[in-house]
Amino acid sequence: MHSASQTAELTLELFHFQTNTSLQFPANLSVICIGKPNDQKSPDIDISGLPDSDVASRIHAQIWINGDEYHITDLGSSNGTYINGARLQPQVFFPLHPGDRISLGQGDKITFMFRVQTAAASTTKNPTANSAPKKITAPSIGKEEEQVIFVSKMPVRLFV
């Protein structure tokens, strides 16, 4: 339980393997566009400065956020979007999970790991430079406790 001066802060990011950098999702958006800027629109995650960005389309893919569920779709890109090595069909939503590998174009030239992290953010002081976000973990369950898990929007009760 957090004190009144602390809240849990959720961070969604794409970790770029080739440059070891993290690209954080803009806060409070439910649809994140990935690509390169064009005359009409800048993407939410601009990959134009990354090496080999020429294999990515201007409007390449989107990630949809609904609570703690994430989906990705290829927007008809020229070179495709790959999740864990499998090519996505354009305009089809595919579940995205923390740790999944996202490649824009074939050959792993632009490759990311999708990460979800949380950290306790204090309203009284700034975090120290050495404090790192903590990974989300499932709560532990005692023998007499009951837990409801939602799988495909259907409740399932587990007794452990």
Side-chain angles (χ1 to χ4, degrees):
M1 188 181 272
H2 294 288
S3 69
S5 65
Q6 289 188 346
T7 58
E9 186 176 303
L10 191 67
T11 302
L12 303 178
E13 65 185 24
L14 296 178
F15 177 78
H16 186 242
F17 284 107
Q18 289 80 8
T19 61
N20 292 324
T21 57
S22 293
L23 305 174
Q24 290 190 353
F25 288 31
N28 302 321
L29 289 181
S30 59
V31 179
I32 308 295
C33 183
I34 303 167
K36 300 182 289 191
N38 61 29
D39 294 337
Q40 290 95 26
K41 185 180 182 210
S42 291
D44 300 308
I45 295 182
D46 183 355
I47 54 102
S48 62
L50 298 177
D52 296 314
S53 65
D54 56 323
V55 302
S57 296
R58 302 250 177 240
I59 301 172
H60 195 98
Q62 282 182 337
I63 295 176
W64 295 72
I65 303 165
N66 183 15
D68 62 352
E69 294 181 3
Y70 312 99
H71 290 84
I72 187 167
T73 185
D74 181 89
L75 296 174
S77 65
S78 301
N79 294 314
T81 302
Y82 297 78
I83 301 298
N84 301 322
R87 187 173 181 153
L88 300 181
Q89 294 298 316
Q91 308 299 332
V92 176
F93 291 94
F94 188 83
L96 185 62
H97 305 285
D100 280 349
R101 187 178 181 107
I102 302 169
S103 297
L104 306 181
Q106 200 169 16
D108 288 335
K109 289 184 177 182
I110 301 177
T111 308
F112 301 98
M113 178 189 295
F114 175 62
R115 299 199 300 197
V116 178
Q117 299 181 347
T118 187
S122 173
T123 57
T124 57
K125 67 174 192 163
N126 291 329
T128 62
N130 292 331
S131 66
K134 304 232 186 265
K135 195 170 187 179
I136 296 174
T137 57
S140 60
I141 302 170
K143 290 189 178 186
E144 289 82 33
E145 291 179 295
E146 174 183 284
Q147 180 181 17
V148 177
I149 300 174
F150 291 95
V151 179
S152 300
K153 308 260 187 218
M154 295 180 64
V156 177
R157 291 185 184 255
L158 297 178
F159 296 92
V160 285

